Amino acid sequence: MSDFPEPKIYVADLAAYNAGHLRGEWLCLSSYQNAEHLRHAISSLLETWDEEPLSGVCGPIEEFRIDDYEGIPSALIPRHGGIDTENVMAYVRLCDLDDTGAAKAFIEAEFHRETPPEEWPRAFQERYLGTFSSLEEWARRRLESTGFFSGVPEAMARYFDFEAYARDALLGGDVVLVDSGIDTKHVFLGH
């Protein structure tokens, strides 16, 4: 994940906010092994805040909200606020498998909706075909690696239309393309 922002969340003290104070802390998600550890860290943070009283805040600090996030696809953050710790931590584990941005592309392609979070790494590895400069490059590499042209004279093989093959694979749902910028196309197995 060296070229991408580290996934983190800003946990805010809701009682302090309601009393006119801003209090919160950024949590780097790669520091936690799983969702349970993250929930425990948030509970510990609330206990720490409980020991540091602010004027106008009374009673135990029990409520928090996620005010901001970085390095997490917006598809994993509910519109109403809050956070699904299972999904976010599954994404962090997914990022451990790949540092090209393909983990984020997996989420953007909405494959995460078809699979429980604990199975995202398996589904990612089964579907991810690679990062290419174009879909045509994917088609060329795929067909050449499978020996599609073995036995075909070079004079005939050069007439093959890789662009049309790639377009048909995309339109037919055989592959899914997530465009992450110039020369960065993440290709996944469709269907």
PDB file of all heavy atoms in Angstrom, residues 78-96:
ATOM      1  N   PRO A  78     -21.146   3.964   5.091  1.00  0.00           N
ATOM      2  CA  PRO A  78     -22.590   4.210   4.940  1.00  0.00           C
ATOM      3  C   PRO A  78     -22.893   5.702   4.832  1.00  0.00           C
ATOM      4  O   PRO A  78     -22.189   6.534   5.404  1.00  0.00           O
ATOM      5  CB  PRO A  78     -23.180   3.642   6.231  1.00  0.00           C
ATOM      6  CG  PRO A  78     -22.121   2.801   6.838  1.00  0.00           C
ATOM      7  CD  PRO A  78     -20.809   3.308   6.339  1.00  0.00           C
ATOM      8  N   ARG A  79     -23.933   6.038   4.100  1.00  0.00           N
ATOM      9  CA  ARG A  79     -24.337   7.434   3.921  1.00  0.00           C
ATOM     10  C   ARG A  79     -24.716   8.101   5.240  1.00  0.00           C
ATOM     11  O   ARG A  79     -24.544   9.293   5.409  1.00  0.00           O
ATOM     12  CB  ARG A  79     -25.538   7.512   2.981  1.00  0.00           C
ATOM     13  CG  ARG A  79     -25.243   7.135   1.562  1.00  0.00           C
ATOM     14  CD  ARG A  79     -26.476   7.445   0.707  1.00  0.00           C
ATOM     15  NE  ARG A  79     -26.790   6.443  -0.274  1.00  0.00           N
ATOM     16  CZ  ARG A  79     -26.147   6.263  -1.402  1.00  0.00           C
ATOM     17  NH1 ARG A  79     -25.127   7.010  -1.687  1.00  0.00           N
ATOM     18  NH2 ARG A  79     -26.509   5.340  -2.260  1.00  0.00           N
ATOM     19  N   HIS A  80     -25.267   7.338   6.163  1.00  0.00           N
ATOM     20  CA  HIS A  80     -25.750   7.897   7.431  1.00  0.00           C
ATOM     21  C   HIS A  80     -24.634   8.075   8.454  1.00  0.00           C
ATOM     22  O   HIS A  80     -24.887   8.475   9.578  1.00  0.00           O
ATOM     23  CB  HIS A  80     -26.844   7.016   8.017  1.00  0.00           C
ATOM     24  CG  HIS A  80     -26.405   5.599   8.232  1.00  0.00           C
ATOM     25  ND1 HIS A  80     -25.581   5.227   9.267  1.00  0.00           N
ATOM     26  CD2 HIS A  80     -26.641   4.485   7.512  1.00  0.00           C
ATOM     27  CE1 HIS A  80     -25.354   3.928   9.193  1.00  0.00           C
ATOM     28  NE2 HIS A  80     -25.981   3.456   8.141  1.00  0.00           N
ATOM     29  N   GLY A  81     -23.405   7.794   8.075  1.00  0.00           N
ATOM     30  CA  GLY A  81     -22.296   7.886   9.017  1.00  0.00           C
ATOM     31  C   GLY A  81     -22.052   6.548   9.666  1.00  0.00           C
ATOM     32  O   GLY A  81     -22.664   5.546   9.314  1.00  0.00           O
ATOM     33  N   GLY A  82     -21.168   6.513  10.599  1.00  0.00           N
ATOM     34  CA  GLY A  82     -20.830   5.254  11.235  1.00  0.00           C
ATOM     35  C   GLY A  82     -19.914   4.447  10.331  1.00  0.00           C
ATOM     36  O   GLY A  82     -19.431   4.934   9.313  1.00  0.00           O
ATOM     37  N   ILE A  83     -19.695   3.222  10.719  1.00  0.00           N
ATOM     38  CA  ILE A  83     -18.792   2.395   9.938  1.00  0.00           C
ATOM     39  C   ILE A  83     -19.063   0.936  10.245  1.00  0.00           C
ATOM     40  O   ILE A  83     -19.429   0.588  11.366  1.00  0.00           O
ATOM     41  CB  ILE A  83     -17.331   2.773  10.266  1.00  0.00           C
ATOM     42  CG1 ILE A  83     -16.385   2.207   9.233  1.00  0.00           C
ATOM     43  CG2 ILE A  83     -16.943   2.351  11.657  1.00  0.00           C
ATOM     44  CD1 ILE A  83     -15.000   2.802   9.314  1.00  0.00           C
ATOM     45  N   ASP A  84     -18.947   0.108   9.244  1.00  0.00           N
ATOM     46  CA  ASP A  84     -19.059  -1.330   9.435  1.00  0.00           C
ATOM     47  C   ASP A  84     -17.639  -1.851   9.622  1.00  0.00           C
ATOM     48  O   ASP A  84     -16.881  -1.978   8.659  1.00  0.00           O
ATOM     49  CB  ASP A  84     -19.726  -1.965   8.216  1.00  0.00           C
ATOM     50  CG  ASP A  84     -19.936  -3.458   8.369  1.00  0.00           C
ATOM     51  OD1 ASP A  84     -19.148  -4.110   9.090  1.00  0.00           O
ATOM     52  OD2 ASP A  84     -20.866  -3.986   7.752  1.00  0.00           O
ATOM     53  N   THR A  85     -17.267  -2.108  10.865  1.00  0.00           N
ATOM     54  CA  THR A  85     -15.883  -2.486  11.156  1.00  0.00           C
ATOM     55  C   THR A  85     -15.478  -3.777  10.459  1.00  0.00           C
ATOM     56  O   THR A  85     -14.317  -3.926  10.076  1.00  0.00           O
ATOM     57  CB  THR A  85     -15.648  -2.615  12.674  1.00  0.00           C
ATOM     58  OG1 THR A  85     -16.591  -3.524  13.225  1.00  0.00           O
ATOM     59  CG2 THR A  85     -15.757  -1.263  13.359  1.00  0.00           C
ATOM     60  N   GLU A  86     -16.407  -4.702  10.281  1.00  0.00           N
ATOM     61  CA  GLU A  86     -16.079  -5.963   9.587  1.00  0.00           C
ATOM     62  C   GLU A  86     -15.649  -5.673   8.151  1.00  0.00           C
ATOM     63  O   GLU A  86     -14.638  -6.186   7.671  1.00  0.00           O
ATOM     64  CB  GLU A  86     -17.285  -6.916   9.586  1.00  0.00           C
ATOM     65  CG  GLU A  86     -17.726  -7.377  10.950  1.00  0.00           C
ATOM     66  CD  GLU A  86     -16.729  -8.293  11.647  1.00  0.00           C
ATOM     67  OE1 GLU A  86     -15.938  -8.970  10.961  1.00  0.00           O
ATOM     68  OE2 GLU A  86     -16.742  -8.324  12.884  1.00  0.00           O
ATOM     69  N   ASN A  87     -16.429  -4.847   7.443  1.00  0.00           N
ATOM     70  CA  ASN A  87     -16.101  -4.525   6.052  1.00  0.00           C
ATOM     71  C   ASN A  87     -14.803  -3.750   5.936  1.00  0.00           C
ATOM     72  O   ASN A  87     -13.976  -4.021   5.062  1.00  0.00           O
ATOM     73  CB  ASN A  87     -17.235  -3.730   5.399  1.00  0.00           C
ATOM     74  CG  ASN A  87     -18.421  -4.587   5.051  1.00  0.00           C
ATOM     75  OD1 ASN A  87     -18.400  -5.804   5.170  1.00  0.00           O
ATOM     76  ND2 ASN A  87     -19.488  -3.950   4.644  1.00  0.00           N
ATOM     77  N   VAL A  88     -14.624  -2.762   6.793  1.00  0.00           N
ATOM     78  CA  VAL A  88     -13.425  -1.929   6.708  1.00  0.00           C
ATOM     79  C   VAL A  88     -12.171  -2.747   7.009  1.00  0.00           C
ATOM     80  O   VAL A  88     -11.159  -2.637   6.313  1.00  0.00           O
ATOM     81  CB  VAL A  88     -13.554  -0.699   7.632  1.00  0.00           C
ATOM     82  CG1 VAL A  88     -12.236   0.030   7.751  1.00  0.00           C
ATOM     83  CG2 VAL A  88     -14.627   0.229   7.098  1.00  0.00           C
ATOM     84  N   MET A  89     -12.227  -3.600   8.016  1.00  0.00           N
ATOM     85  CA  MET A  89     -11.052  -4.409   8.340  1.00  0.00           C
ATOM     86  C   MET A  89     -10.810  -5.479   7.265  1.00  0.00           C
ATOM     87  O   MET A  89      -9.662  -5.823   6.979  1.00  0.00           O
ATOM     88  CB  MET A  89     -11.197  -5.043   9.728  1.00  0.00           C
ATOM     89  CG  MET A  89     -11.132  -4.019  10.847  1.00  0.00           C
ATOM     90  SD  MET A  89      -9.681  -2.928  10.788  1.00  0.00           S
ATOM     91  CE  MET A  89      -8.352  -4.086  11.030  1.00  0.00           C
ATOM     92  N   ALA A  90     -11.869  -5.975   6.652  1.00  0.00           N
ATOM     93  CA  ALA A  90     -11.685  -6.910   5.527  1.00  0.00           C
ATOM     94  C   ALA A  90     -10.980  -6.192   4.374  1.00  0.00           C
ATOM     95  O   ALA A  90     -10.124  -6.773   3.691  1.00  0.00           O
ATOM     96  CB  ALA A  90     -13.028  -7.470   5.071  1.00  0.00           C
ATOM     97  N   TYR A  91     -11.309  -4.929   4.153  1.00  0.00           N
ATOM     98  CA  TYR A  91     -10.642  -4.141   3.117  1.00  0.00           C
ATOM     99  C   TYR A  91      -9.156  -3.962   3.447  1.00  0.00           C
ATOM    100  O   TYR A  91      -8.299  -4.087   2.571  1.00  0.00           O
ATOM    101  CB  TYR A  91     -11.316  -2.779   2.955  1.00  0.00           C
ATOM    102  CG  TYR A  91     -10.572  -1.871   2.016  1.00  0.00           C
ATOM    103  CD1 TYR A  91     -10.557  -2.129   0.645  1.00  0.00           C
ATOM    104  CD2 TYR A  91      -9.850  -0.784   2.487  1.00  0.00           C
ATOM    105  CE1 TYR A  91      -9.844  -1.316  -0.223  1.00  0.00           C
ATOM    106  CE2 TYR A  91      -9.146   0.034   1.620  1.00  0.00           C
ATOM    107  CZ  TYR A  91      -9.142  -0.242   0.269  1.00  0.00           C
ATOM    108  OH  TYR A  91      -8.437   0.549  -0.596  1.00  0.00           O
ATOM    109  N   VAL A  92      -8.839  -3.693   4.701  1.00  0.00           N
ATOM    110  CA  VAL A  92      -7.439  -3.546   5.111  1.00  0.00           C
ATOM    111  C   VAL A  92      -6.678  -4.839   4.818  1.00  0.00           C
ATOM    112  O   VAL A  92      -5.559  -4.810   4.289  1.00  0.00           O
ATOM    113  CB  VAL A  92      -7.334  -3.151   6.601  1.00  0.00           C
ATOM    114  CG1 VAL A  92      -5.893  -3.205   7.099  1.00  0.00           C
ATOM    115  CG2 VAL A  92      -7.924  -1.769   6.824  1.00  0.00           C
ATOM    116  N   ARG A  93      -7.265  -5.981   5.128  1.00  0.00           N
ATOM    117  CA  ARG A  93      -6.609  -7.270   4.838  1.00  0.00           C
ATOM    118  C   ARG A  93      -6.461  -7.462   3.318  1.00  0.00           C
ATOM    119  O   ARG A  93      -5.475  -8.018   2.846  1.00  0.00           O
ATOM    120  CB  ARG A  93      -7.406  -8.434   5.434  1.00  0.00           C
ATOM    121  CG  ARG A  93      -7.513  -8.409   6.941  1.00  0.00           C
ATOM    122  CD  ARG A  93      -6.209  -8.705   7.697  1.00  0.00           C
ATOM    123  NE  ARG A  93      -5.268  -7.633   7.849  1.00  0.00           N
ATOM    124  CZ  ARG A  93      -5.295  -6.665   8.778  1.00  0.00           C
ATOM    125  NH1 ARG A  93      -6.273  -6.598   9.637  1.00  0.00           N
ATOM    126  NH2 ARG A  93      -4.368  -5.747   8.840  1.00  0.00           N
ATOM    127  N   LEU A  94      -7.441  -7.009   2.569  1.00  0.00           N
ATOM    128  CA  LEU A  94      -7.382  -7.100   1.106  1.00  0.00           C
ATOM    129  C   LEU A  94      -6.227  -6.260   0.571  1.00  0.00           C
ATOM    130  O   LEU A  94      -5.515  -6.675  -0.340  1.00  0.00           O
ATOM    131  CB  LEU A  94      -8.707  -6.622   0.533  1.00  0.00           C
ATOM    132  CG  LEU A  94      -9.074  -6.984  -0.888  1.00  0.00           C
ATOM    133  CD1 LEU A  94      -9.092  -8.485  -1.090  1.00  0.00           C
ATOM    134  CD2 LEU A  94     -10.438  -6.406  -1.224  1.00  0.00           C
ATOM    135  N   CYS A  95      -6.013  -5.105   1.150  1.00  0.00           N
ATOM    136  CA  CYS A  95      -4.902  -4.233   0.736  1.00  0.00           C
ATOM    137  C   CYS A  95      -3.556  -4.897   0.986  1.00  0.00           C
ATOM    138  O   CYS A  95      -2.583  -4.607   0.286  1.00  0.00           O
ATOM    139  CB  CYS A  95      -4.967  -2.900   1.458  1.00  0.00           C
ATOM    140  SG  CYS A  95      -6.328  -1.851   0.916  1.00  0.00           S
ATOM    141  N   ASP A  96      -3.498  -5.782   1.974  1.00  0.00           N
ATOM    142  CA  ASP A  96      -2.241  -6.489   2.252  1.00  0.00           C
ATOM    143  C   ASP A  96      -1.846  -7.403   1.093  1.00  0.00           C
ATOM    144  O   ASP A  96      -0.670  -7.735   0.936  1.00  0.00           O
ATOM    145  CB  ASP A  96      -2.358  -7.333   3.529  1.00  0.00           C
ATOM    146  CG  ASP A  96      -2.455  -6.484   4.792  1.00  0.00           C
ATOM    147  OD1 ASP A  96      -2.101  -5.282   4.731  1.00  0.00           O
ATOM    148  OD2 ASP A  96      -2.894  -7.019   5.822  1.00  0.00           O
TER     149      ASP A  96
END
